[in-house]
Structure formats: structure tokens, C-alpha cells
Amino acid sequence: MYQSSTPQRGHLPVAPREESPVSIIGAGIAGAWQALLFAQAGHAVTLHERSDEAMMLSTSHWAGGMLAPYCEGEVAEPLISRLGLRALDLWRKELPDTPFNGSLVVAHARDRNDFERFARLTSGHRRLDARALAELEPSLEGRFRDGLFFADEGHVEPRRVLPKLHERIIAAGGTIKFNSEPRPSDIEGLVIDCRGLSARDTQPELRGVKGELILIETCEVQLARPVRLIHPRWPLYVIPREDNLFMLGATSIEAEDTGVSVRSALELLSAAYAVHPAFGEARIVEFGSGLRPAFPDNLPRISIDKNHVMVNGLYRHGFLIAPALAELTLAYVERGRIDNEVMQCV
């Protein structure tokens, strides 16, 4: 009998058993977590990736890496928060050195109404006055009169954490083949398709949503956690990286071109300057953008067609929800368990 965390709306085919080899296409954050959990469960896993070890062709290469299910509650559906909260536990379990220093949300006085709206629409935070905020982030002393502190949230650096996940896959007995781009129909056994936008040959409703970023370097500002600046026109997040680097991001543009527009660059840099004037003297290291795969409702989907499982539509929540989606896929394959909010038979 199938098990489900929600009332069952339909019947999925009988799940394939673990004796079948498992091939996963796409070694970005979605595919890497699928491969890791399946390999740890004793399956014969092969992970295929079209690019080389640098992962330059992967959307994950251009991601922010914020693990912020509470903050996402402002605009995301409850499903994202549910998956994200479960994923936090998996990040802690598999990569215990993941920084869980929380998230900080701030705004200038002129944007007070938007700040209070953000506070009403989210949970899991406590309000800090100016003194407590300065104790938490000394570089922001005197910059904001208060803030919202989401203590249980975390963040990862995608370009450092993906190689760690790949190493753990190999340590668990999995195989990774870079510069390999097979078609799902050409592979025997169970295929888990995590190709993102490349999967439009089988999921034509996917669209690309461009997310732009700027990487800057300065030793004049020190932050221990992501800082979100609330603004009606150009909300921003500043994510600390190693080696005095900071990632600036926030754009979600309904376009499938690559690169960063002049307008976006100006808005991101202006917003960073509004967080701290020292960012105005920072050195620009890199501009870049990635196309996030999204369905029309912006929600993730695990679609099952016999031995072809498609995991896609992670939108801008890839690093947040990928571990939980992998856990759901594994539970289906091994126990026939379904989650009707995420899974569907095609």
C-alpha cells in the first residue's frame, strides 16, 4: 500500500526496486543530492554531468546558496517552507560544517512599511534593536535602527559545497561521469532526470528565470551571515563568502538570455552601497547569471513515468529544497511512498 503525507489523489506505478541500477543526469544541486542519498542507501549510482568538474554549465554555479525557509515565507508557497525546513536537517546531518549563523533582514527608515510587512508574513525571527544588531554584526553598527534575526537559517557557498557533495557521493560508492550527456531513453534501469532547462524535450512547460549576481571583494566589511535589505524597487541580499568576498544578488527576471544588464548591475551595486558605504570601494570580481528552471506555478515537481523520474522546477529554491526532494524520491523508489504535493504520474 502507498503511504502519503497528504490525501492521495491518484495512483503512481509500482516503484522500481533497488536491484536496478540508478542513473542520474545532472550533477548540480538537485542531482548531487539525489545521487548522494541513493548511493548511501546502497544503490549502484552513476551520476552524469554535461560539463567538467568546474560545473560552469550548471545553474548551481551561479546560485546564492541561502538556506532560508523562514525568509522565503514572505513570497513562497507553504510547500517551499515545508521542504526547506526538512532540508535544513539533512544539510546538518550530511555536511555538519554548514554555516547556520542565521539570516538578518534590515531596512532603512523610508522603507519601514515594507519591513513591517516582511515581519508579518514570515515566522521564525526575533526583532533586534540597534544595539543588539550591532552586537550581532559590528560592521552594521549605526546603519539601521533594528532588524529581524532568523537564527535557524544558514547558507552555503555553491562552488565549494558542490565538490564536497561529489566527494561524498564517490565515498558512498557512486560514480560520477563528467562531460557526459546521455539521453534518458538511452539508459537502462532507473533514470532520475535532473537536467533543469535541458529537460524541455520531455517537460516543455519549463521556463527559464534569470538570476543575476555580482561578486565583490573588500576587507572593510565583515559579515557572518546573509543580510537582506528590504526595498520596494531593488531588494538585495549580501552573502558573505570566504577570502573577503561577498555575493550580491536578488534579481528574478523573466528572460532566458545570459549576462547581467547595466540596469541590474547599477541596482545591485546601489543597494549594496545602501547596506554599507564601504561596499562602494569594493573591487568587482565577477558578473554572472544563471537560468533557474521553473514551472508555471513556480513549484517543484517530481514526475514519474515508469523508470523515468524527473526532478525539476526548483526555481530559485534549489539549494534550499534539493535534499528534501531527494529524500522523497528515495522513499518512493524503496517503499512506494508518495507525496501528493510534489509527485505526479505522467
Side-chain angles (χ1 to χ4, degrees):
M1 179 179 295
Y2 293 116
Q3 300 175 5
S4 176
S5 59
T6 59
Q8 192 169 335
R9 304 189 189 99
H11 294 282
L12 296 177
V14 176
R17 302 310 306 163
E18 61 268 21
E19 289 79 7
S20 175
V22 179
S23 298
I24 299 162
I25 307 177
I29 193 62
W33 270 100
Q34 296 281 337
L36 177 60
L37 295 195
F38 272 85
Q40 288 180 338
H43 296 262
V45 169
T46 302
L47 177 60
H48 298 269
E49 169 56 39
R50 62 175 177 162
S51 62
D52 59 19
E53 289 87 342
M55 300 290 293
M56 292 289 290
L57 299 178
S58 173
T59 300
S60 298
H61 185 80
W62 306 102
M66 291 189 296
L67 310 179
Y70 296 105
C71 283
E72 290 301 320
E74 181 209 10
V75 293
E77 295 290 333
L79 171 63
I80 301 302
S81 295
R82 174 169 73 86
L83 294 173
L85 288 171
R86 173 55 189 155
L88 295 187
D89 293 334
L90 295 169
W91 278 108
R92 290 187 178 98
K93 175 185 175 184
E94 299 298 338
L95 291 173
D97 60 344
T98 299
F100 279 94
N101 300 328
S103 302
L104 184 62
V105 176
V106 296
H108 292 293
R110 63 180 179 271
D111 302 316
R112 195 74 202 166
N113 289 339
D114 293 302
F115 178 83
E116 294 298 340
R117 177 182 177 277
F118 191 97
R120 291 194 302 270
L121 293 176
T122 57
S123 61
H125 58 74
R126 60 185 175 92
R127 194 178 292 259
L128 306 179
D129 59 19
R131 180 177 177 180
L133 193 156
E135 290 175 354
L136 189 71
E137 291 289 6
S139 286
L140 300 184
E141 182 176 5
R143 300 292 306 158
F144 304 95
R145 79 181 197 187
D146 59 0
L148 302 174
F149 181 43
F150 296 78
D152 294 330
E153 296 187 335
H155 68 285
V156 295
E157 187 169 347
R159 298 178 190 182
R160 293 181 182 269
V161 81
L162 273 175
K164 291 181 180 179
L165 289 172
H166 294 163
E167 290 173 2
R168 290 184 62 81
I169 293 166
I170 294 171
T175 300
I176 303 178
K177 294 184 177 181
F178 291 100
N179 300 306
S180 175
E181 193 176 8
R183 293 183 301 178
S185 59
D186 293 337
I187 302 176
E188 296 290 334
L190 176 65
V191 178
I192 302 176
D193 187 344
C194 301
R195 291 179 294 154
L197 286 178
S198 296
R200 281 194 286 199
D201 56 345
T202 55
Q203 296 179 299
E205 66 271 40
L206 284 167
R207 77 186 196 283
V209 180
K210 184 168 72 169
E212 300 163 311
L213 66 85
I214 301 176
L215 196 64
I216 63 175
E217 178 186 17
T218 179
C219 60
E220 299 299 317
V221 182
Q222 302 293 324
L223 296 176
R225 55 193 52 79
V227 175
R228 294 180 183 234
L229 176 68
I230 302 298
H231 188 280
R233 231 171 16 95
W234 24 263
L236 169 88
Y237 49 76
V238 180
I239 308 176
R241 302 295 196 215
E242 294 186 11
D243 304 322
N244 297 321
L245 296 174
F246 296 86
M247 200 206 89
L248 313 177
T251 63
S252 290
I253 301 173
E254 294 289 338
E256 295 196 9
D257 62 292
T258 57
V260 178
S261 68
V262 171
R263 178 178 177 178
S264 294
L266 290 173
E267 291 183 346
L268 288 173
L269 293 171
S270 296
Y273 184 82
V275 171
H276 198 293
F279 282 131
E281 303 300 323
R283 183 175 71 92
I284 296 176
V285 177
E286 183 180 2
F287 291 95
S289 67
L291 291 177
R292 304 141 169 171
F295 290 111
D297 59 4
N298 292 335
L299 293 177
R301 191 178 302 166
I302 300 174
S303 305
I304 302 168
D305 183 7
K306 298 179 181 179
N307 279 4
H308 184 193
V309 178
M310 293 157 278
V311 181
N312 217 320
L314 278 66
Y315 187 39
R316 61 190 190 88
H317 307 117
F319 279 78
L320 174 60
I321 66 175
L325 293 177
E327 187 177 58
L328 291 179
T329 307
L330 180 64
Y332 166 73
V333 169
E334 293 198 327
R335 301 189 298 278
R337 184 175 180 178
I338 65 171
D339 186 315
N340 282 299
E341 281 194 283
V342 181
M343 292 180 167
Q344 65 174 221
C345 178
V346 297

